[in-house]
Amino acid sequence: MVDTSERTIRRVACIGGGTIGASWAACFMARGLDVTIADPAPGAADAARRIIDGAWVALERLGLAPGASPDRWRFYSDPVAATDGVDFVQESAPERYEIKLDLLRRLSAALERDVIIASSSSGLLISRLQEACNYPERCVIGHPFNPPHIVPLVEVVGGLKSARWAVDAAMNFYRAIGKHPIEIRKEVPGHLANRLQAALWREAIHLVAEGVATVADVDAAISEGPGLRWALMGPHLTFHLAGGTGGMAHYMEHLAPAMTGWWPHLGSPTLTPELQRRIIDGLTEETRGRSVEELARRRDEFLIRVLEARRQVDPPPVDEPGPSDVPSAD
């Protein structure tokens, strides 16, 4: 077993410089770390620079660590070269087993055995990805939510061969850079948050398919209602409050039977071409000509304001690592 207690993380390799990888890179640099970015795609360096520059505006508002700079990165087309001398690897290659397996095989052969490899995969199983790796015990999932430089959540998943020290070190590292890591204790496709999203979207599509509501009204049913509460607390705590002074015990006894009675009527729609077109047309009507870029800017501004408001309502405990703490794997 390898102990990472003596490895302080100062330099991170971001393998993949697209939307997720470059956003991760910006996040790491905002915490005062040095970063290497590797991506073989033509024009990838310029694309990464645009993403980093755009992310830095938000990161400045959220707070930078001493020494933070958007220029603390070097670019490589060769992913193996980008890992020379790094202390942590964040892999964000395309979501396909064959691509990641080949990549992880090459990376793991070049890295020291106590350097953690964290995959940003949104739903692949780390146990399968470990099959290609030297020292598979140091491989974990470190799945962010888009955009990684803003959204705090990181899902950490260990596989069949992951060592306890690797999971703990990944959790400590993400926590030290100001993220909110959660450990997924059993491997399932899609991890945790994406499965919850998938369940909600399935019912949202079913309601559109059945003519219950328009695409815009289904979206409003979340954004103008429970989604506002979910920015502060999850479904269990939300229903705990719904139980009044009796909390969840009262909810379970008096309100849960009605909700569980709806479960058999929840839908399992087939996403036919016709239904896909209805969803797309509905979104065209809902967005009223606003571009994806404009909507993303609006989303990011809202997320930043929500995070700023949450800090005022519920500041982090003083004994927990804050955004300015020196990140390490100890």
Side-chain angles (χ1 to χ4, degrees), residues 122-136:
S122 61
L124 302 183
L125 300 180
I126 187 60
S127 289
R128 284 196 59 186
L129 297 176
Q130 287 174 324
E131 295 171 1
C133 294
N134 289 348
Y135 311 118

Side-chain angles (χ1 to χ4, degrees), residues 52-63:
I52 290 168
D53 288 346
W56 205 256
V57 177
L59 288 164
E60 286 179 320
R61 289 179 57 184
L62 292 171

Side-chain angles (χ1 to χ4, degrees), residues 243-329:
T245 56
M248 182 57 81
H250 180 84
Y251 188 90
M252 287 291 190
E253 181 178 358
H254 295 282
L255 300 173
M259 178 168 285
T260 58
W262 306 333
W263 288 358
H265 304 286
L266 297 178
S268 183
T270 300
L271 201 55
T272 63
E274 293 77 16
L275 183 52
Q276 292 180 43
R277 177 46 54 188
R278 286 179 62 185
I279 299 294
I280 294 168
D281 290 345
L283 280 167
T284 299
E285 181 178 350
E286 181 181 358
T287 56
R288 300 190 301 276
R290 290 174 292 179
S291 68
V292 170
E293 292 76 16
E294 180 183 353
L295 291 168
R297 286 194 297 270
R298 181 173 181 267
R299 175 203 64 191
D300 292 353
E301 175 64 23
F302 177 80
L303 289 172
I304 293 168
R305 293 190 183 190
V306 168
L307 290 172
E308 290 172 339
R310 285 190 359 169
R311 287 178 180 175
Q312 298 177 14
V313 173
D314 189 18
V318 295
D319 59 341
E320 287 192 5
S324 62
D325 291 313
V326 177
S328 68

Side-chain angles (χ1 to χ4, degrees), residues 100-276:
K100 289 185 183 289
L101 285 168
D102 177 67
L103 180 60
L104 293 179
R105 179 171 57 251
R106 296 163 57 199
L107 296 177
S108 64
L111 290 162
E112 297 180 33
R113 65 181 298 171
D114 64 338
V115 175
I116 291 174
I117 302 174
S119 175
S120 296
S121 172
S122 61
L124 302 183
L125 300 180
I126 187 60
S127 289
R128 284 196 59 186
L129 297 176
Q130 287 174 324
E131 295 171 1
C133 294
N134 289 348
Y135 311 118
E137 64 271 15
R138 42 84 173 273
C139 299
V140 299
I141 294 290
H143 172 235
F145 260 67
N146 192 29
H149 64 279
I150 296 178
V151 179
L153 181 66
V154 181
E155 296 176 315
V156 177
V157 192
L160 293 174
K161 297 181 180 180
S162 298
R164 184 69 245 172
W165 66 260
V167 174
D168 290 343
M171 292 283 289
N172 290 341
F173 171 63
Y174 291 129
R175 190 178 295 114
I177 63 170
K179 293 299 184 182
H180 188 115
I182 60 173
E183 181 181 351
I184 311 304
R185 300 173 187 275
K186 181 178 180 180
E187 282 188 282
V188 288
H191 316 320
L192 173 57
N194 272 337
R195 290 176 69 94
L196 294 172
Q197 288 194 125
L200 178 61
W201 195 44
R202 182 177 70 175
E203 183 61 18
I205 289 174
H206 170 69
L207 293 169
V208 171
E210 294 298 307
V212 175
T214 65
V215 169
D217 284 346
V218 169
D219 281 354
I222 297 300
S223 65
E224 304 301 319
L228 296 173
R229 299 184 304 206
W230 292 343
L232 182 63
M233 58 188 66
H236 297 307
L237 188 53
T238 294
F239 291 147
H240 176 60
L241 268 63
T245 56
M248 182 57 81
H250 180 84
Y251 188 90
M252 287 291 190
E253 181 178 358
H254 295 282
L255 300 173
M259 178 168 285
T260 58
W262 306 333
W263 288 358
H265 304 286
L266 297 178
S268 183
T270 300
L271 201 55
T272 63
E274 293 77 16
L275 183 52
Q276 292 180 43

